[in-house]
Amino acid sequence: MTHTKQIKNVVIAGGGTAGWMAAAALGKLVGKNINVTLVESDDIATIGVGEATIPPIRTFHKLLGIDEQAFMKATQASFKLGISFENWGQKNTDYIHSFGMTGKECWAGEFHHFWLHSLSLGLESEFADYCYELQAAKQGKCAFNQQNPINYAFHLDASRYALFLRDFSHDFGVKRVEGKITRVNKCAETGNIKSLTLSDESTLDGDFFIDCTGFRGLLIEQALHTGYEDWSHLLPCDSAIAVQTKAISDEIPPYTRSIAHDAGWQWQIPLQQRVGNGLVFCSRYLSDEDAKQLLLDNIQGETLTEPRVIKFKTGRRRKGWNKNCLALGLASGFVEPLESTSIHLIMSGVIRFMRLFPFNGITEQAISEYNKQLKSEIENIRDFIVLHYKVTERNDSEFWRHCQNMEVPNTLAHKISLFKETGRVFLDDGDIFRVDSWVQVMLGQGIKPKQYHLIASLMSDEELTRFLSSIKQQISQRVVQLPTHEAFLQQYCPAN
């Protein structure tokens, strides 16, 4: 199918983070050639719990020319250097999956091979000792300048972020229409979407439509019947409860906390003036009421919102781009927010679409390429998240026993067994997580490789000792000089 009509009018259905990220990017980067209209209703609440990000969001902001300090002030954002995983490998254990590079690598083998070799020689150290961002996170410190860079992302208020992008988009000619979509109108001949009818009976015509209507998938699913691939056999959690609390301390940790419970896990996301809390759980092992109580018993500070139960089914639409409709955010699929990938998937989807933008008409080749890349990216993210459940050593509840014994995709099973046997990790094309990330999680949850690359043993014992201690020393010296996270926030971007 080739749809040769030129694309001039793009209509975005739904606001929230997904809608306004799409509007901001299209308005700023291709807005001179197209008209962008976003329709949203103030009556429809957004899910808005995607409050943690990963470092590529900074590239997105640079692309759009967004001022980082202004953005952080407006969204009450704090810095994020990684995620602390507590009780995941075993009860009462923890590790940090950080955004930094651990140690130094050479052409034949990553740093962890040298570290594993040092253990065999009886040199005692933690893998975490060799990562700057991880050590800064542990000590509650964060700052950067040109001489002392650090790899970071953000914790942010998702609702404020949508409003920030809405104001930003306005300057680039994006038109906002207030209204509730009551009908999606399709062309009888092609099956493409022609227009949206709103509750006041007005009609919005478009050449291309972006579905940001959340789990409902009003356009991509209800109108185009795209189909959904269910991943709940791999990610059994199907419910979440979210609640916000007042910050009770000036100490703002520069990391997200992910605390495993008997039937799921709890998140803590520290912003400048409040904390985002939530519990992700499997309703087969825990009722909504018990989950609500568990969350309320494990938070600190006065609650600012009523606990809200959100039901979901992990998986993805069979096509992210179908006919003249692109799905973004929850409309395109859902992988639980364990590694803060929700906002990243919106961002990468928008950028991928702009690179393939059908100015002169939609082609099957562009649709196929978009969907191929999306499938590769989201399946790699899925595998990385399933990894955390699969390689647990916990067998103290029915939920964790299920996770330990469940069958996982061949792609993931291969990565785990390759690391167990040889200490090696090879990335796939769509993998957004680096070798460092895979190694931090697998070592953090108790996998000890049987072998390592013998390139590490070419160093003499003295050279290896010097090599490791110099890295450790440099990191210690850099971390000592850092201010606390709170002090740097107050200097760099105090919340509005």
Side-chain angles (χ1 to χ4, degrees):
M1 177 212 69
T2 300
H3 177 66
T4 52
K5 186 183 176 188
Q6 280 198 327
I7 304 298
K8 288 296 288 179
N9 298 302
V10 175
V11 176
I12 301 171
T17 308
W20 286 111
M21 281 182 89
L26 289 169
K28 171 74 192 277
L29 300 169
V30 288
K32 284 180 183 165
N33 301 300
I34 59 171
N35 306 310
V36 181
T37 304
L38 184 145
V39 57
E40 67 176 345
S41 168
D42 287 334
D43 296 340
I44 298 174
T46 57
I47 298 287
V49 295
E51 300 190 317
T53 58
I54 55 176
I57 191 172
R58 289 161 49 208
T59 309
F60 181 72
H61 286 173
K62 276 188 186 135
L63 195 61
L64 269 61
I66 284 173
D67 179 279
E68 182 170 280
Q69 285 164 287
F71 142 75
M72 290 188 75
K73 286 177 180 181
T75 59
Q76 303 189 348
S78 63
F79 291 101
K80 175 184 172 186
L81 301 178
I83 303 171
S84 169
F85 286 97
E86 300 161 37
N87 302 331
W88 277 85
Q90 294 177 354
K91 269 190 168 177
N92 304 314
T93 62
D94 63 85
Y95 68 94
I96 291 178
H97 166 211
S98 77
F99 296 142
M101 191 176 94
T102 308
K104 291 172 185 167
E105 54 190 57
C106 78
W107 65 271
E110 291 85 5
F111 173 78
H112 65 270
H113 296 287
F114 294 89
W115 176 75
L116 289 166
H117 180 53
S118 78
L119 296 186
S120 74
L121 301 174
L123 299 173
E124 286 300 313
S125 69
E126 297 289 329
F127 188 61
D129 292 346
Y130 303 96
C131 177
Y132 172 54
E133 285 79 356
L134 198 154
Q135 289 304 313
K138 272 175 88 168
Q139 294 181 43
K141 294 182 162 193
C142 182
F144 51 83
N145 54 41
Q146 279 184 319
Q147 290 73 43
N148 196 11
I150 199 164
N151 198 21
Y152 61 89
F154 311 103
H155 300 124
L156 54 86
D157 182 315
S159 304
R160 287 171 186 266
Y161 185 48
L163 289 171
F164 176 82
L165 292 175
R166 175 169 146 180
D167 290 343
F168 176 88
S169 303
H170 185 264
D171 295 340
F172 298 98
V174 173
K175 183 183 169 196
R176 178 188 181 271
V177 174
E178 164 65 31
K180 205 177 272 188
I181 301 164
T182 54
R183 199 165 61 248
V184 180
N185 308 302
K186 295 195 293 184
C187 169
E189 287 171 29
T190 63
N192 283 334
I193 296 172
K194 256 191 336 185
S195 63
L196 307 176
T197 302
L198 307 185
S199 52
D200 63 0
E201 288 304 313
S202 63
T203 301
L204 269 179
D205 296 319
D207 305 317
F208 198 94
F209 294 81
I210 299 182
D211 188 343
C212 300
T213 62
F215 290 128
R216 295 177 304 153
L218 207 56
L219 284 66
I220 196 78
E221 194 57 55
Q222 293 185 33
L224 295 180
H225 313 296
T226 302
Y228 195 78
E229 192 176 301
D230 185 344
W231 289 343
S232 45
H233 60 297
L234 300 170
L235 293 163
C237 291
D238 58 6
S239 310
I241 297 178
V243 67
Q244 295 171 8
T245 54
K246 229 181 222 178
I248 59 165
S249 161
D250 284 346
E251 287 178 28
I252 303 172
Y255 53 84
T256 305
R257 287 181 72 195
S258 168
I259 306 146
H261 289 296
D262 287 353
W265 60 278
Q266 177 187 345
W267 77 76
Q268 276 184 13
I269 298 174
L271 277 65
Q272 289 191 45
Q273 296 174 349
R274 67 166 177 83
V275 178
N277 306 274
L279 185 74
V280 173
F281 63 99
C282 179
S283 61
R284 268 182 292 166
Y285 304 104
L286 193 64
S287 70
D288 290 359
E289 278 312 304
D290 288 345
K292 201 178 287 187
Q293 198 54 55
L294 177 64
L295 178 61
L296 292 173
D297 289 345
N298 284 280
I299 56 176
Q300 296 175 305
E302 179 193 334
T303 57
L304 299 171
T305 54
E306 281 298 309
R308 210 158 42 107
V309 180
I310 302 154
K311 295 291 176 183
F312 58 81
K313 185 191 283 183
T314 50
R316 69 175 190 93
R317 295 275 171 235
R318 295 193 181 278
K319 294 178 182 175
W321 180 349
N322 188 6
K323 296 187 178 289
N324 65 335
C325 177
L326 181 83
L328 290 175
L330 299 175
S332 75
F334 182 73
V335 185
E336 62 177 71
L338 185 61
E339 284 283 356
S340 314
T341 49
S342 305
I343 288 175
H344 176 83
L345 280 165
I346 298 167
M347 178 198 89
S348 63
V350 172
I351 290 171
R352 186 180 300 120
F353 175 62
M354 289 194 301
R355 290 176 70 179
L356 291 161
F357 196 89
F359 290 107
N360 298 317
I362 298 166
T363 64
E364 203 54 67
Q365 291 80 2
I367 293 176
S368 170
E369 184 59 32
Y370 180 95
N371 289 327
K372 184 182 87 171
Q373 288 187 30
L374 171 63
K375 180 177 189 286
S376 173
E377 179 179 52
I378 199 166
E379 285 181 356
N380 276 288
I381 288 172
R382 174 203 66 194
D383 283 6
F384 188 61
I385 291 171
V386 173
L387 169 75
H388 297 65
Y389 289 102
K390 178 65 179 171
V391 300
T392 184
E393 295 179 329
R394 288 186 63 164
N395 57 8
D396 54 284
S397 74
E398 215 181 320
F399 172 79
W400 288 108
R401 286 192 291 275
H402 164 77
C403 293
Q404 221 179 37
N405 295 314
M406 69 183 171
E407 201 174 318
V408 298
N410 293 337
T411 43
L412 175 60
H414 172 69
K415 267 199 176 104
I416 294 170
S417 63
L418 185 69
F419 186 72
K420 277 181 177 171
E421 292 301 319
T422 69
R424 289 166 177 78
V425 177
F426 290 99
L427 300 181
D428 300 310
D429 286 347
D431 219 322
I432 64 164
F433 291 102
R434 298 164 314 160
V435 168
D436 245 320
S437 295
W438 286 88
V439 172
Q440 283 182 15
V441 174
M442 289 196 276
L443 289 175
Q445 293 196 196
I447 295 181
K448 298 282 188 292
K450 292 177 187 171
Q451 303 168 28
Y452 50 84
H453 200 302
L454 287 180
I455 188 85
S457 60
L458 295 181
M459 267 189 183
S460 71
D461 296 359
E462 292 78 20
E463 280 177 319
L464 183 63
T465 306
R466 273 201 308 276
F467 172 64
L468 293 177
S469 64
S470 76
I471 294 172
K472 211 165 158 180
Q473 207 174 348
Q474 282 170 18
I475 288 170
S476 296
Q477 286 167 353
R478 288 175 72 190
V479 173
V480 162
Q481 292 165 18
L482 290 174
T484 65
H485 180 213
E486 164 69 12
F488 187 61
L489 286 171
Q490 285 309 311
Q491 176 223 314
Y492 185 74
C493 56
N496 291 342

